[in-house]
Amino acid sequence: MVLWMAIRLGGAVAVTLAAAACGAGAGATLAHSAAASASRSQTTATAATTATTRTTATTRTTAATTATVGPLPRVTVRLSVPAGNGRGVFSRPRTLTVPRGWKAEVWARVENARFMAWTPQHTLLVSAPGDTVVELTPGANPASRPRQQVLLSGLTQPQGLAFDTVGGQTVLYVAESDQIDRYVWLGAAGVGARTVIVHNLPDLDPRGDDVHRVKTLVVGSDHRIYIDIGSAFNASRTDIAGNPPRGSIVSYAPDGSDMQVIATGVRNGEGLSFAPNGVLWSAVNERDSIAYPFHRRYGGVANAYGHVIQSYVNNHPPDELVAVTPGRNVGWPYCNPDPNHGMANMSFDDDAQTNPGGKWLNCAKLTPINRGVAAHSAPLGFHFLEGSSLPARFTGGAVLAVHGSWDREPPRAPAVLWVPWSNAHQTLGAPVTLISGFQLPNGSRWGRAADAVPGPDGSLYVSDDTAGAIYRITP
């Protein structure tokens, strides 16, 4: 697979970009992932590739985990705004809180900037729903404003981007909300003609109350294409029918044939990324306005079962980071993860509205949720950092952009989180806040993080679909 080698050394690489509607508002997500072994699908890569990747991952991850023990000191810094980037929300000073010693600047302005992917030539592609993909070309000085041009236009809600090599040619996949396109990548000359390889994906549903149209897209080392198909409803039994079903993660062969449903019960799997062991993970936006699931007193109600109570909604259900193993059911819309005994390996409660008494699904039989994220965080861009040029303490983990809540009181703030990877247990640990400051003390926001990807210069690039900006955060 031909790709920017600073992201992943010595293995197949998938660089992905995605965005999706989140809750009743717009959310977005990109998954830019490294794929080594193919334990993530019903097809597998070679044993030699698996062994090599796991050996490398063990060495890197062990060192990084040891280095990250303890708190992460952070400081508030003023955003540097180069000439020409100061319009709109940046017409007044803004600050972000970042790790001590890091700098932050408004590197580029892209309206509705959602998700990003580096090209083999080290230019940065940015999804800008509803119809364009923008290309940013860095100058000789990485801190200077990049040259900007529209690479693709006239598309329908384009979100997912991924590079691969097919038949000896480098290709760019683009996930529109209703189809998957493929272009021959021509480097500085742009792209060749569009070939639609998958038609008629589930898209806008006029019946839906919480439609998630746009699609995340990643490519595995088996060259299969993996996409998420978000729900049309907040929580409804009628939403999981269809072929392919909504609330699922599916895969296709490189030519768009051989559709396979990999996992179900994934309400809105915004982020897709391959872990160092080759397993596909998803960052999932869980349901809103959950009803209290127990027959007991809560919130001043003698029997609170079935009541929607704001103090319960504020922290339930958690959003999720889950290993997408073939055949897994993540629970939605019948079962909700219960954080009351911790955010790791969470069991489920029956949903009082869609699955009273476990009528439709026995939640106790489901695989526990690997790792919870604070409820209504709205996780979007999600990337394992193995092989990146970021400081070593961060490469043994993943970076996660959270968009912030729309229905929580007080609002959950947007942020960029770092999530450690445990090589010993092959799972993710508790998230740590890396970048914050988009939300003011009164709950209002001047920006919302949508994606965060490491760059070839060792900086972290963060997209903001509210401020219309790409930030360059430099250690």
Side-chain angles (χ1 to χ4, degrees):
M1 193 178 293
V2 178
L3 251 252
W4 164 50
M5 296 305 293
I7 292 290
R8 180 72 175 259
L9 302 177
V13 182
V15 173
T16 65
L17 170 158
C22 173
T29 180
L30 172 147
H32 151 192
S33 310
S37 67
S39 55
R40 59 203 176 282
S41 73
Q42 294 167 336
T43 60
T44 59
T46 64
T49 299
T50 302
T52 300
T53 302
R54 287 182 176 169
T55 300
T56 303
T58 299
T59 302
R60 292 175 181 162
T61 305
T62 301
T65 301
T66 301
T68 55
V69 173
L72 176 64
R74 298 193 308 136
V75 297
T76 298
V77 299
R78 183 169 173 171
L79 266 172
S80 172
V81 183
N85 286 348
R87 64 188 183 276
V89 298
F90 303 112
S91 59
R92 56 171 293 184
R94 298 292 179 183
T95 62
L96 289 176
T97 302
V98 300
R100 183 180 296 164
W102 290 33
K103 300 178 295 184
E105 68 172 317
V106 181
W107 185 62
R109 301 300 305 273
V110 179
E111 292 302 314
N112 300 316
R114 294 293 184 95
F115 301 95
M116 302 171 289
W118 289 98
T119 73
Q121 288 72 36
H122 296 184
T123 63
L124 184 62
L125 302 187
V126 182
S127 168
D131 69 346
T132 62
V133 174
V134 174
E135 183 175 18
L136 303 175
T137 302
N141 176 4
S144 63
R145 291 177 62 198
R147 180 169 57 87
Q148 182 171 326
Q149 65 176 350
V150 174
L151 177 71
L152 300 170
S153 62
L155 306 180
T156 302
Q157 296 290 312
Q159 299 297 333
L161 303 175
F163 286 95
D164 197 9
T165 299
V166 177
Q169 290 183 313
T170 300
V171 299
L172 169 66
Y173 292 107
V174 178
E176 300 187 59
S177 61
D178 59 349
Q179 63 188 34
I180 299 175
D181 310 325
R182 189 172 73 195
Y183 302 83
V184 174
W185 180 253
L186 303 176
V191 295
R194 177 173 66 177
T195 300
V196 179
I197 61 170
V198 177
H199 297 264
N200 301 318
L201 290 172
D203 192 15
L204 184 63
D205 187 337
R207 304 170 303 159
D209 58 12
D210 202 15
V211 178
H212 300 112
R213 297 180 59 190
V214 292
K215 309 295 187 288
T216 305
L217 185 151
V218 294
V219 178
S221 62
D222 54 0
H223 301 287
R224 290 187 67 87
I225 305 159
Y226 296 79
I227 70 169
D228 83 295
I229 300 175
S231 69
F233 291 83
N234 175 37
S236 171
R237 293 192 302 271
T238 65
D239 207 16
I240 55 178
N243 187 32
R246 300 199 79 131
S248 68
I249 295 171
V250 303
S251 75
Y252 295 89
D255 63 357
S257 64
D258 188 30
M259 188 273 287
Q260 298 177 13
V261 177
I262 305 301
T264 56
V266 185
R267 176 177 175 269
N268 192 22
E270 300 275 3
L272 292 176
S273 187
F274 287 99
N277 63 358
V279 173
L280 180 64
W281 282 65
S282 179
V284 184
N285 287 248
E286 257 295 349
R287 63 159 297 173
D288 300 307
S289 303
I290 185 175
Y292 191 74
F294 306 114
H295 290 280
R296 56 183 183 233
R297 175 177 291 277
Y298 186 90
V301 181
N303 181 0
Y305 183 83
H307 290 258
V308 177
I309 302 171
Q310 186 63 50
S311 59
Y312 187 78
V313 169
N314 281 348
N315 297 303
H316 298 83
D319 291 331
E320 305 161 342
L321 295 172
V322 295
V324 183
T325 50
R328 183 172 186 177
N329 186 337
V330 183
W332 180 88
Y334 299 120
C335 308
N336 301 306
D338 186 342
N340 294 335
H341 300 289
M343 297 285 269
N345 298 315
M346 291 184 293
S347 59
F348 294 89
D349 299 324
D350 298 336
D351 191 293
Q353 295 164 313
T354 63
N355 191 33
K359 178 180 180 180
W360 299 98
L361 181 63
N362 185 347
C363 299
K365 292 187 175 181
L366 298 181
T367 301
I369 295 298
N370 305 80
R371 169 59 59 181
V373 180
H376 313 296
S377 292
L380 305 180
F382 174 51
H383 314 276
F384 283 92
L385 297 173
E386 183 191 26
S388 76
S389 298
L390 290 175
R393 70 173 294 177
F394 298 106
T395 57
V399 67
L400 176 67
V402 295
H403 209 222
S405 66
W406 70 271
D407 62 340
R408 191 181 189 275
E409 298 176 4
R412 185 80 67 191
V416 177
L417 310 179
W418 180 77
V419 193
W421 171 257
S422 170
N423 188 64
H425 299 96
Q426 301 290 285
T427 193
L428 289 166
V432 175
T433 300
L434 192 67
I435 302 167
S436 60
F438 304 97
Q439 182 168 297
L440 301 178
N442 64 5
S444 65
R445 297 163 179 157
W446 57 265
R448 301 180 81 178
D451 189 31
V453 298
D457 62 337
S459 298
L460 189 68
Y461 290 78
V462 177
S463 63
D464 182 332
D465 60 351
T466 296
I470 308 295
Y471 309 113
R472 180 174 176 264
I473 315 293
T474 304

PDB file of all heavy atoms in Angstrom, residues 139-157:
ATOM      1  N   GLY A 139       3.946  24.747   2.560  1.00  0.00           N
ATOM      2  CA  GLY A 139       5.078  25.436   1.980  1.00  0.00           C
ATOM      3  C   GLY A 139       6.390  24.898   2.514  1.00  0.00           C
ATOM      4  O   GLY A 139       6.428  23.952   3.312  1.00  0.00           O
ATOM      5  N   ALA A 140       7.504  25.494   2.088  1.00  0.00           N
ATOM      6  CA  ALA A 140       8.821  25.079   2.566  1.00  0.00           C
ATOM      7  C   ALA A 140       8.928  25.243   4.071  1.00  0.00           C
ATOM      8  O   ALA A 140       9.581  24.454   4.759  1.00  0.00           O
ATOM      9  CB  ALA A 140       9.907  25.896   1.862  1.00  0.00           C
ATOM     10  N   ASN A 141       8.272  26.279   4.599  1.00  0.00           N
ATOM     11  CA  ASN A 141       8.161  26.458   6.042  1.00  0.00           C
ATOM     12  C   ASN A 141       6.830  25.854   6.476  1.00  0.00           C
ATOM     13  O   ASN A 141       5.769  26.381   6.132  1.00  0.00           O
ATOM     14  CB  ASN A 141       8.208  27.947   6.394  1.00  0.00           C
ATOM     15  CG  ASN A 141       7.998  28.191   7.875  1.00  0.00           C
ATOM     16  OD1 ASN A 141       7.896  27.255   8.668  1.00  0.00           O
ATOM     17  ND2 ASN A 141       7.914  29.456   8.252  1.00  0.00           N
ATOM     18  N   PRO A 142       6.836  24.738   7.224  1.00  0.00           N
ATOM     19  CA  PRO A 142       5.571  24.071   7.565  1.00  0.00           C
ATOM     20  C   PRO A 142       4.594  24.960   8.315  1.00  0.00           C
ATOM     21  O   PRO A 142       3.387  24.721   8.282  1.00  0.00           O
ATOM     22  CB  PRO A 142       6.021  22.893   8.432  1.00  0.00           C
ATOM     23  CG  PRO A 142       7.442  22.659   8.077  1.00  0.00           C
ATOM     24  CD  PRO A 142       8.007  24.010   7.750  1.00  0.00           C
ATOM     25  N   ALA A 143       5.105  25.997   8.995  1.00  0.00           N
ATOM     26  CA  ALA A 143       4.223  26.870   9.768  1.00  0.00           C
ATOM     27  C   ALA A 143       3.519  27.910   8.913  1.00  0.00           C
ATOM     28  O   ALA A 143       2.572  28.548   9.367  1.00  0.00           O
ATOM     29  CB  ALA A 143       5.018  27.570  10.869  1.00  0.00           C
ATOM     30  N   SER A 144       3.944  28.087   7.682  1.00  0.00           N
ATOM     31  CA  SER A 144       3.323  29.090   6.823  1.00  0.00           C
ATOM     32  C   SER A 144       1.988  28.586   6.294  1.00  0.00           C
ATOM     33  O   SER A 144       1.719  27.375   6.279  1.00  0.00           O
ATOM     34  CB  SER A 144       4.244  29.438   5.652  1.00  0.00           C
ATOM     35  OG  SER A 144       4.455  28.297   4.827  1.00  0.00           O
ATOM     36  N   ARG A 145       1.131  29.509   5.851  1.00  0.00           N
ATOM     37  CA  ARG A 145      -0.161  29.124   5.304  1.00  0.00           C
ATOM     38  C   ARG A 145       0.034  28.229   4.082  1.00  0.00           C
ATOM     39  O   ARG A 145       0.837  28.523   3.205  1.00  0.00           O
ATOM     40  CB  ARG A 145      -0.964  30.355   4.902  1.00  0.00           C
ATOM     41  CG  ARG A 145      -1.446  31.206   6.063  1.00  0.00           C
ATOM     42  CD  ARG A 145      -2.175  32.442   5.541  1.00  0.00           C
ATOM     43  NE  ARG A 145      -3.362  32.076   4.768  1.00  0.00           N
ATOM     44  CZ  ARG A 145      -3.978  32.897   3.930  1.00  0.00           C
ATOM     45  NH1 ARG A 145      -3.506  34.119   3.710  1.00  0.00           N
ATOM     46  NH2 ARG A 145      -5.055  32.514   3.297  1.00  0.00           N
ATOM     47  N   PRO A 146      -0.703  27.113   4.002  1.00  0.00           N
ATOM     48  CA  PRO A 146      -0.572  26.229   2.850  1.00  0.00           C
ATOM     49  C   PRO A 146      -1.300  26.777   1.630  1.00  0.00           C
ATOM     50  O   PRO A 146      -2.218  27.603   1.746  1.00  0.00           O
ATOM     51  CB  PRO A 146      -1.237  24.941   3.332  1.00  0.00           C
ATOM     52  CG  PRO A 146      -2.290  25.416   4.279  1.00  0.00           C
ATOM     53  CD  PRO A 146      -1.687  26.611   4.989  1.00  0.00           C
ATOM     54  N   ARG A 147      -0.887  26.307   0.464  1.00  0.00           N
ATOM     55  CA  ARG A 147      -1.644  26.604  -0.758  1.00  0.00           C
ATOM     56  C   ARG A 147      -2.896  25.749  -0.752  1.00  0.00           C
ATOM     57  O   ARG A 147      -2.858  24.573  -0.408  1.00  0.00           O
ATOM     58  CB  ARG A 147      -0.795  26.308  -1.990  1.00  0.00           C
ATOM     59  CG  ARG A 147      -1.508  26.602  -3.313  1.00  0.00           C
ATOM     60  CD  ARG A 147      -0.528  26.541  -4.484  1.00  0.00           C
ATOM     61  NE  ARG A 147       0.138  25.261  -4.572  1.00  0.00           N
ATOM     62  CZ  ARG A 147      -0.344  24.200  -5.219  1.00  0.00           C
ATOM     63  NH1 ARG A 147      -1.528  24.274  -5.819  1.00  0.00           N
ATOM     64  NH2 ARG A 147       0.343  23.081  -5.276  1.00  0.00           N
ATOM     65  N   GLN A 148      -4.024  26.333  -1.137  1.00  0.00           N
ATOM     66  CA  GLN A 148      -5.312  25.663  -1.014  1.00  0.00           C
ATOM     67  C   GLN A 148      -6.023  25.598  -2.357  1.00  0.00           C
ATOM     68  O   GLN A 148      -6.070  26.576  -3.092  1.00  0.00           O
ATOM     69  CB  GLN A 148      -6.175  26.419   0.004  1.00  0.00           C
ATOM     70  CG  GLN A 148      -7.532  25.817   0.275  1.00  0.00           C
ATOM     71  CD  GLN A 148      -8.214  26.503   1.447  1.00  0.00           C
ATOM     72  OE1 GLN A 148      -7.559  26.931   2.384  1.00  0.00           O
ATOM     73  NE2 GLN A 148      -9.532  26.613   1.396  1.00  0.00           N
ATOM     74  N   GLN A 149      -6.577  24.411  -2.673  1.00  0.00           N
ATOM     75  CA  GLN A 149      -7.367  24.265  -3.890  1.00  0.00           C
ATOM     76  C   GLN A 149      -8.446  23.209  -3.668  1.00  0.00           C
ATOM     77  O   GLN A 149      -8.297  22.312  -2.832  1.00  0.00           O
ATOM     78  CB  GLN A 149      -6.493  23.869  -5.073  1.00  0.00           C
ATOM     79  CG  GLN A 149      -5.853  22.495  -4.948  1.00  0.00           C
ATOM     80  CD  GLN A 149      -5.070  22.097  -6.180  1.00  0.00           C
ATOM     81  OE1 GLN A 149      -5.145  22.749  -7.219  1.00  0.00           O
ATOM     82  NE2 GLN A 149      -4.298  21.023  -6.086  1.00  0.00           N
ATOM     83  N   VAL A 150      -9.541  23.322  -4.423  1.00  0.00           N
ATOM     84  CA  VAL A 150     -10.594  22.316  -4.382  1.00  0.00           C
ATOM     85  C   VAL A 150     -10.181  21.158  -5.283  1.00  0.00           C
ATOM     86  O   VAL A 150      -9.965  21.331  -6.482  1.00  0.00           O
ATOM     87  CB  VAL A 150     -11.936  22.904  -4.837  1.00  0.00           C
ATOM     88  CG1 VAL A 150     -12.994  21.806  -4.934  1.00  0.00           C
ATOM     89  CG2 VAL A 150     -12.397  23.992  -3.875  1.00  0.00           C
ATOM     90  N   LEU A 151     -10.033  19.980  -4.680  1.00  0.00           N
ATOM     91  CA  LEU A 151      -9.657  18.792  -5.449  1.00  0.00           C
ATOM     92  C   LEU A 151     -10.872  18.152  -6.114  1.00  0.00           C
ATOM     93  O   LEU A 151     -10.829  17.778  -7.285  1.00  0.00           O
ATOM     94  CB  LEU A 151      -8.972  17.778  -4.529  1.00  0.00           C
ATOM     95  CG  LEU A 151      -8.578  16.457  -5.175  1.00  0.00           C
ATOM     96  CD1 LEU A 151      -7.412  16.650  -6.148  1.00  0.00           C
ATOM     97  CD2 LEU A 151      -8.201  15.427  -4.107  1.00  0.00           C
ATOM     98  N   LEU A 152     -11.980  18.034  -5.370  1.00  0.00           N
ATOM     99  CA  LEU A 152     -13.204  17.420  -5.875  1.00  0.00           C
ATOM    100  C   LEU A 152     -14.387  18.287  -5.474  1.00  0.00           C
ATOM    101  O   LEU A 152     -14.407  18.865  -4.385  1.00  0.00           O
ATOM    102  CB  LEU A 152     -13.392  16.010  -5.291  1.00  0.00           C
ATOM    103  CG  LEU A 152     -12.303  14.982  -5.588  1.00  0.00           C
ATOM    104  CD1 LEU A 152     -12.506  13.729  -4.738  1.00  0.00           C
ATOM    105  CD2 LEU A 152     -12.281  14.622  -7.062  1.00  0.00           C
ATOM    106  N   SER A 153     -15.376  18.379  -6.354  1.00  0.00           N
ATOM    107  CA  SER A 153     -16.585  19.147  -6.041  1.00  0.00           C
ATOM    108  C   SER A 153     -17.784  18.460  -6.670  1.00  0.00           C
ATOM    109  O   SER A 153     -17.646  17.520  -7.465  1.00  0.00           O
ATOM    110  CB  SER A 153     -16.460  20.586  -6.567  1.00  0.00           C
ATOM    111  OG  SER A 153     -16.318  20.610  -7.973  1.00  0.00           O
ATOM    112  N   GLY A 154     -18.974  18.930  -6.316  1.00  0.00           N
ATOM    113  CA  GLY A 154     -20.195  18.373  -6.868  1.00  0.00           C
ATOM    114  C   GLY A 154     -20.544  17.004  -6.323  1.00  0.00           C
ATOM    115  O   GLY A 154     -21.355  16.282  -6.921  1.00  0.00           O
ATOM    116  N   LEU A 155     -19.976  16.634  -5.175  1.00  0.00           N
ATOM    117  CA  LEU A 155     -20.257  15.340  -4.559  1.00  0.00           C
ATOM    118  C   LEU A 155     -21.422  15.470  -3.578  1.00  0.00           C
ATOM    119  O   LEU A 155     -21.841  16.567  -3.235  1.00  0.00           O
ATOM    120  CB  LEU A 155     -19.012  14.822  -3.847  1.00  0.00           C
ATOM    121  CG  LEU A 155     -17.728  14.746  -4.692  1.00  0.00           C
ATOM    122  CD1 LEU A 155     -16.573  14.224  -3.851  1.00  0.00           C
ATOM    123  CD2 LEU A 155     -17.945  13.875  -5.923  1.00  0.00           C
ATOM    124  N   THR A 156     -21.914  14.328  -3.116  1.00  0.00           N
ATOM    125  CA  THR A 156     -23.006  14.306  -2.148  1.00  0.00           C
ATOM    126  C   THR A 156     -22.463  13.933  -0.782  1.00  0.00           C
ATOM    127  O   THR A 156     -22.130  12.776  -0.533  1.00  0.00           O
ATOM    128  CB  THR A 156     -24.095  13.302  -2.575  1.00  0.00           C
ATOM    129  OG1 THR A 156     -24.580  13.642  -3.873  1.00  0.00           O
ATOM    130  CG2 THR A 156     -25.254  13.306  -1.581  1.00  0.00           C
ATOM    131  N   GLN A 157     -22.336  14.926   0.102  1.00  0.00           N
ATOM    132  CA  GLN A 157     -21.864  14.706   1.471  1.00  0.00           C
ATOM    133  C   GLN A 157     -20.619  13.807   1.518  1.00  0.00           C
ATOM    134  O   GLN A 157     -20.603  12.772   2.174  1.00  0.00           O
ATOM    135  CB  GLN A 157     -22.978  14.091   2.317  1.00  0.00           C
ATOM    136  CG  GLN A 157     -24.189  14.977   2.495  1.00  0.00           C
ATOM    137  CD  GLN A 157     -23.886  16.181   3.389  1.00  0.00           C
ATOM    138  OE1 GLN A 157     -23.306  16.037   4.449  1.00  0.00           O
ATOM    139  NE2 GLN A 157     -24.282  17.356   2.950  1.00  0.00           N
TER     140      GLN A 157
END
